[in-house]
Amino acid sequence: MSSVADQPLADAVQAASHPYYPRDASLPHYVASQFNMSESLTTLGSAILLIAFISVILISKARTPLSTKDKLIVIWMLVCAGIHIVLEGYFSFNHATLAGKQTVLADLWREYAHSDSRYLTSDPFTVIMEGITAVFDGAFAVVTAYGILADSPIRYSAQLITSLAQLYGDVIYMATNYMEGFKYTNPHPLYFYGYFVFMNLPWIVIPTVLMVDAVKNIYRGMLIAQRATAVKKSS
Amino acid sequence: MSSVADQPLADAVQAASHPYYPRDASLPHYVASQFNMSESLTTLGSAILLIAFISVILISKARTPLSTKDKLIVIWMLVCAGIHIVLEGYFSFNHATLAGKQTVLADLWREYAHSDSRYLTSDPFTVIMEGITAVFDGAFAVVTAYGILADSPIRYSAQLITSLAQLYGDVIYMATNYMEGFKYTNPHPLYFYGYFVFMNLPWIVIPTVLMVDAVKNIYRGMLIAQRATAVKKSS
């Protein structure tokens, strides 16, 4: 009988051994970070700046001169590709052991997980969605940047595919947490607003804008193509 | 003490009160169907045939004569729109009470739920994904059919958006159940293959084919537009 009666106590001790929400989430493999958080964030920031720098070099070598809008989209797509492939790819491969891993990337995920513990518990939806984001969204973000730099007709299809995939994944991701009363999120404003809202909202807003942009441009292009073909047929 | 010790027994009694998997899924509001299943399936089949019939009439009134491929895509998109908006829309609005509702549509969901009990337990991912499918995929399926019938330049964008959204939703849907060892699915071949595999695989295969078709056609159109614009500029 005692083992049954002691279960709530054992649960509470277990819960107290990690800082995540819900407090009773099962994270037996959790080990606190051995790095300084500011070092990890500096590494992430430097990596993003490096990608932006490479983007600027690539933009200067573009096939035709780019508009400011297109320059910004190249930088956005390459930064996205880096985040999708490296950071989210790392999560996809290591989700089962992430809570206890001592690497800079695991450290970043342990920090972000304050805003969503599903990243440390191998939550099925989160693992599948991140796998798709890493491989599919990552690849098409690169194709979009290539399409702009090379002035290729693939550009707007790739922009539409990347943006819709990002939007779809992020909407389900945010909405499932909302539907469960944000139970995976530490309610502290830093974690709720600073991490959960602020780090996800850009992948709702920007993909929506870029989808509309792609649809408009494809519409215009297909209309020109339709007329050009009609002229050819009639002449 | 007795209340704690009796819990497993109470769970077993509860589990026995519905036919779904996992056997211990909590479905306190479950009420068995009062309809004859063959009647419900006849209703569904008739509704799909009616949509196909309406599609054939619309095809005969298309702005330009359609290829066999385009005729099939119109029928596919309008049947999809019907399923998304009516059947999946009904689920989205009534998921919380579906297990006990006595309507033909609830009956169809109770039958399908043998292959996936998440449809009766208000599973957050399933509810959100179905909401998106009903509203977003449903609307864009109609736009695609319209685009083909009216020979509009919106057609391939709409086809790409509809198909990618269908594919993304269905891949996560099937993959999460796979990752959890198909625990939501009755292992009987009728339910596993007949329902879970056979009723979902079309929304993996056909959207993939239609995405490739859309990307190819947009590529061709954008190339023609690019050349037409270049000719105009140089002349």
Side-chain angles (χ1 to χ4, degrees), chain A residues 2 47 58 69 71 93 112 132 193 205:
Chain A
S2 78
L58 290 171
K69 193 189 86 182
K71 285 177 189 168
F93 273 104
Y112 177 75
I132 294 171
Y193 292 104
V205 176

Side-chain angles (χ1 to χ4, degrees), chain B residues 99-158:
Chain B
K101 269 189 128 63
Q102 294 302 327
T103 64
V104 170
L105 289 172
D107 201 30
L108 288 168
W109 282 117
R110 265 194 303 272
E111 182 64 16
Y112 177 74
H114 287 295
S115 85
D116 195 333
S117 66
R118 290 179 290 180
Y119 278 89
L120 299 183
T121 57
S122 294
D123 171 70
F125 160 71
T126 307
V127 171
I128 306 288
M129 180 273 288
E130 285 293 352
I132 294 172
T133 305
V135 176
F136 186 86
D137 302 18
F140 277 97
V142 172
V143 175
T144 308
Y146 161 81
I148 298 174
L149 293 168
D151 196 22
S152 160
I154 200 67
R155 178 255 171 102
Y156 286 111
S157 292

